[in-house]
Amino acid sequence: MKLSLLSVRSLQAVLVFAAVFLVGCASGPKIHSVYEKGINFSEYKTFAFLDSVEPAGEQAYRSLTNKYLQEAIRKELTSRGLTEQKGGDLLVGFHVSTKEKITSTSSPSMNAGYYGYRGRYGYSYGMGYGTETRVSQYTEGTLNIDVVDANQKQLVWEGVAVGKLKEPKENKLRGDIHAVVQQIFMEYPVAAPMVVNQ
């Protein structure tokens, strides 16, 4: 299926917007991961990105979001001793998606109702109490990173970040993406070496 230039640009805009949900909440995104137990992840020595994350075709080009995600994932894997090479032991893919969400909150409210006119005369009894409900809509973004055993053709680890989207700050996209990818890889079965400041 061919995508029109407009739909490609719309998709890329979603990816750029979705990528920065990472630091949208004060507490950060929710991170979780699953992995295949019984696998010694330290035995993997090389990795490569899946073809699906690479641009294809004459007019294809790599978006900044795609570039920064690959940079960040590459940094995390190489820091764990893996080398990037074609036909690696591990194949790495990622996917960004968005979903519209609605939330509602109720709080007590004081409602003068019909008797509110009495306040104009200096007395105000007969006030009614009720609840006030506020409904808000927001966009939730999800970033999935998949790590596949190339020989077995089996997913061996998946890291996920889920959070509210926020407006991107100018020139902060790379840093935001790197920060979230780093948080996701804190769940990876092989830890990155500790960096000691001197």
Side-chain angles (χ1 to χ4, degrees), residues 82-104:
L82 284 92
T83 303
E84 184 177 5
Q85 73 175 44
K86 193 167 185 174
D89 302 330
L90 295 173
L91 299 176
V92 184
F94 53 82
H95 179 73
V96 178
S97 62
T98 61
K99 185 191 297 184
E100 293 302 314
K101 304 278 273 188
I102 294 175
T103 184
S104 64

Side-chain angles (χ1 to χ4, degrees), residues 72-125:
I73 293 168
R74 183 179 292 117
K75 179 181 175 186
E76 292 301 321
L77 290 173
T78 55
S79 74
R80 288 164 171 79
L82 284 92
T83 303
E84 184 177 5
Q85 73 175 44
K86 193 167 185 174
D89 302 330
L90 295 173
L91 299 176
V92 184
F94 53 82
H95 179 73
V96 178
S97 62
T98 61
K99 185 191 297 184
E100 293 302 314
K101 304 278 273 188
I102 294 175
T103 184
S104 64
T105 54
S106 295
S107 57
S109 66
M110 199 160 52
N111 183 4
Y114 173 78
Y115 295 103
Y117 73 90
R118 290 177 173 158
R120 289 183 289 174
Y121 300 107
Y123 60 94
S124 56
Y125 67 92

